Amino acid sequence: AQDDGLLLYYPCDDKKGGALADAGPVHANGSLNAQPNGEVRGANVLCEKAGEWTPILTAEGIQCKGLVAGSEAALAEGERPIVLDRDKDYAIDSANGRIKALPGGRVEMGNPFTIDFKFSNPGPSWMEGKAGGCLKLDGFDDYVTLGRQPTANSLEAVTLQLWICLSKDSSPDGVILAKGSSGKKFGLRLKGGVPQFFHPGLKTADGKSASATQGKVALTRETWYHLAAIYDGSNALLVIDGREVARQTSLTGKLETTGDFHAGGFRDPEFFGGCVDEIKIYRRARSDLRPGDSN
């Protein structure tokens, strides 16, 4: 598989919902973000304006949802630390992992405070998919880490491909498959329900940013599609069900590869709601791509 340029293959067939033992030909230690009994201590929160919701993030910048109601303890640090009171100094949205400072409370705008809490996230669920099993991401807090292939700092060419099926109530925005924390490097995502191959490191021939190759038509929910994003060192293509739907030409640059590949986003509004199956990533531009192609 590696001779064919295959970096990573995950068939999404693991019924256990645990370690992804087949997440790549070399790096085989991917994981689901399942933590049914998780606990976070010392998460930093910064409120810029009273009354506005702020996401609660871990030290890695990942948003935590499904907080156990009443489990949190907030502390404003300083020469004399202040234990903050819920419903007096702050309000918390436990289900959605958000917090806001209340007008007249003791939270100082622009100064961080910390919060400890417990949370529960069962992680993506396994179900019958397009080819055997698939993973269903709830669009709420699920994602899958697929490993750090490749070890190089950049790629001159790449093909990302997978099957997806949007949930009936999924958000029209979300990261589907990406490289790097919060999908900042490159990958596939939805913008207003329309697929997009985003590649912020590439430029046009005249030096302007070529941040994304955008599709034109929104995907129908509860319908399987085969998506592929291709970069050959000059052209960026978006392919749906074997048909090219968008292209940018005469591009320059390489795709930065630091961080893990992951399916699904890390925080709002990046969470993808739907099923993913047969994830394949190549270090080459495939020209023979067809839905269900096993190569």
Side-chain angles (χ1 to χ4, degrees), residues 119-141:
F119 68 97
S120 177
N121 171 26
S125 58
W126 185 92
M127 61 183 296
E128 289 294 332
K130 186 65 178 180
C134 73
L135 287 176
K136 184 176 182 180
L137 311 181
D138 63 9
F140 187 70
D141 57 6

Side-chain angles (χ1 to χ4, degrees), residues 13-66:
D13 282 335
D14 187 0
K15 295 183 181 181
K16 297 178 182 179
L20 308 185
D22 49 2
V26 178
H27 188 110
N29 296 311
S31 62
L32 310 180
N33 70 321
Q35 283 188 275
N37 297 298
E39 184 172 0
V40 172
R41 300 186 64 84
N44 284 317
V45 178
L46 180 65
C47 295
E48 298 289 353
K49 185 177 180 180
E52 291 188 354
W53 289 109
T54 299
I56 298 173
L57 307 177
T58 67
E60 294 78 25
I62 298 172
Q63 186 174 7
C64 280
K65 299 184 178 183

Side-chain angles (χ1 to χ4, degrees), residues 59-82:
E60 294 78 25
I62 298 172
Q63 186 174 7
C64 280
K65 299 184 178 183
L67 276 62
V68 176
S71 70
E72 85 285 349
L75 182 70
E77 299 179 349
E79 293 184 5
R80 296 182 178 180
I82 300 172

Side-chain angles (χ1 to χ4, degrees), residues 46-227:
L46 180 65
C47 295
E48 298 289 353
K49 185 177 180 180
E52 291 188 354
W53 289 109
T54 299
I56 298 173
L57 307 177
T58 67
E60 294 78 25
I62 298 172
Q63 186 174 7
C64 280
K65 299 184 178 183
L67 276 62
V68 176
S71 70
E72 85 285 349
L75 182 70
E77 299 179 349
E79 293 184 5
R80 296 182 178 180
I82 300 172
V83 177
L84 301 174
D85 294 330
R86 183 174 65 252
D87 300 328
K88 178 180 179 182
D89 298 312
Y90 68 91
I92 190 165
D93 178 357
S94 298
N96 293 296
R98 305 183 303 170
I99 194 169
K100 66 180 176 182
L102 296 176
R106 293 175 294 173
V107 175
E108 296 184 22
M109 298 303 101
N111 289 331
F113 62 95
T114 62
I115 181 171
D116 302 339
F117 56 88
K118 296 179 180 180
F119 68 97
S120 177
N121 171 26
S125 58
W126 185 92
M127 61 183 296
E128 289 294 332
K130 186 65 178 180
C134 73
L135 287 176
K136 184 176 182 180
L137 311 181
D138 63 9
F140 187 70
D141 57 6
D142 287 349
Y143 62 89
V144 187
T145 302
L146 296 170
R148 291 183 178 272
Q149 287 288 352
T151 56
N153 292 326
S154 61
L155 284 174
E156 295 181 354
V158 73
T159 299
L160 309 176
Q161 64 179 85
L162 78 166
W163 287 93
I164 71 166
C165 180
L166 277 66
S167 298
K168 182 178 181 180
D169 56 353
S170 66
S171 168
D173 300 305
V175 172
I176 301 170
L177 178 64
K179 191 76 164 81
S181 177
S182 297
K184 293 180 179 179
K185 308 305 179 184
F186 65 90
L188 277 162
R189 66 185 175 197
L190 294 176
K191 297 288 286 185
V194 180
Q196 180 190 88
F197 174 21
F198 64 98
H199 38 69
L202 302 184
K203 296 185 181 299
T204 60
D206 57 2
K208 296 181 180 179
S209 175
S211 60
T213 300
Q214 179 75 44
K216 299 177 177 61
V217 180
L219 300 183
T220 301
R221 300 174 188 273
E222 300 185 295
T223 301
W224 281 101
Y225 293 93
H226 188 266
L227 299 189

